[in-house]
Amino acid sequence: MIRTFIPNILTLMNLLTGAVAIVMALETNFYIAAYLILAGAAFDFFDGFAARLLKVSSPVGKQLDSLADLITFGLAPAMMLLALLKQYWTGDVESSITQNWIIFLPFLLVLFSALRLARFNIDESQSKNFKGLPTPANALFIVSLVFLLQAHPLWITYEFVIPIIIVFSILMVARIPLMGLKQFKGPQKIYILILLSGSLAALILFKFEAGVIIIPFYIALSGVKTAFSKNNNLHQK
């Protein structure tokens, strides 16, 4: 039946938008690349929604979804950052070895995205909440970082950019608890509403640069939620 293919078609559209976003990133058309990554995120949401609605989820669809996410939320944002750094860092150092390799550091994000997605596929404890930063959230941060650095080129330094790449690579595979957004009930819905309100305010004020505020806010809010949950559990014992 045709309905069994609908979720996979949406997943392939996610993959396609990610692939085209990479081309746009290489041509430094960052706005188009960003819109394509956002479109990929929409397809990523609706493929899961369609699978649940039509009750046609499958192991193949799950694996295909991860492959698409690696391209759209792993490689495409990394290519945006690489293309930007290449403009400023190529020929900016004396060591030829550094000059040849330092601009490829954003590929670290791709490697850790792959590891993150592989772990997610076999970790049943992440059905409602997450352990480590999800790849779409990491992509949002990196895309916004590109626009932030483009607006403030004096910040495009090794001391500023390299630690960010390393930290956000590690965050994707760190076992830190982060709240999911699908379970909109109980105390969690309050945190989700706070996150959505803060995200909306950030988008209005900072537009494409909002992700560098939204994602740290999401991580901090998840930490507050975890701390309160543990505190409540201790009082109930």
Side-chain angles (χ1 to χ4, degrees):
M1 296 176 65
I2 187 65
R3 71 190 187 98
T4 61
F5 295 103
I6 292 176
N8 287 348
I9 291 172
L10 292 171
T11 303
L12 290 173
M13 290 303 297
N14 172 15
L15 177 58
L16 177 62
T17 55
V20 179
I22 292 169
V23 176
M24 294 296 104
L26 289 171
E27 296 179 356
T28 64
N29 292 326
F30 294 139
Y31 281 100
I32 297 177
Y35 280 122
L36 286 166
I37 292 171
L38 286 174
F43 285 122
D44 184 49
F45 171 80
F46 284 110
D47 67 358
F49 179 79
R52 290 188 295 272
L53 181 66
L54 300 174
K55 298 180 180 179
V56 291
S57 60
S58 67
V60 172
K62 185 176 182 180
Q63 300 304 320
L64 184 62
D65 185 69
S66 290
L67 292 171
D69 286 355
L70 179 59
I71 298 299
T72 304
F73 307 129
L75 186 56
M79 290 304 297
M80 288 180 65
L81 184 56
L82 184 149
L84 179 68
L85 297 182
K86 189 175 181 181
Q87 292 178 332
Y88 289 89
W89 284 3
T90 302
D92 189 41
V93 290
E94 294 180 1
S95 169
S96 60
I97 296 178
T98 305
Q99 179 177 328
N100 289 334
W101 293 104
I102 197 70
I103 61 170
F104 293 107
L105 192 63
F107 282 129
L108 195 65
L109 296 163
V110 185
L111 301 179
F112 278 83
S113 292
L115 182 57
R116 156 77 195 173
L117 290 164
R119 282 186 174 182
F120 181 80
N121 278 353
I122 62 173
D123 189 351
E124 297 180 358
S125 68
Q126 297 192 57
S127 59
K128 296 180 180 179
N129 294 297
F130 301 111
K131 292 178 181 178
L133 187 66
T135 51
N138 186 70
L140 174 60
F141 181 88
I142 298 301
V143 169
S144 293
L145 178 65
V146 169
F147 288 102
L148 179 68
L149 292 174
Q150 194 176 38
H152 304 279
L154 292 178
W155 294 0
I156 308 178
T157 64
Y158 304 118
E159 295 79 9
F160 183 73
V161 177
I162 291 176
I164 290 177
I165 293 173
I166 293 172
V167 167
F168 275 82
S169 295
I170 294 172
L171 280 174
M172 282 189 284
V173 297
R175 307 301 286 177
I176 56 173
L178 297 173
M179 64 178 178
L181 304 181
K182 295 179 181 178
Q183 193 176 17
F184 191 73
K185 60 181 181 179
Q188 180 151 314
K189 68 181 179 181
I190 299 174
Y191 293 98
I192 294 176
L193 288 173
I194 293 172
L195 176 63
L196 293 176
S197 300
S199 299
L200 180 60
L203 285 168
I204 292 172
L205 293 173
F206 303 104
K207 299 180 175 62
F208 278 90
E209 300 171 19
V212 296
I213 296 174
I214 293 172
I215 300 307
F217 180 55
Y218 164 63
I219 295 172
L221 195 61
S222 295
V224 172
K225 175 182 175 295
T226 300
F228 271 101
S229 296
K230 289 182 177 178
N231 189 48
N232 289 335
N233 290 335
L234 287 174
H235 281 300
Q236 291 173 1
K237 290 181 179 180

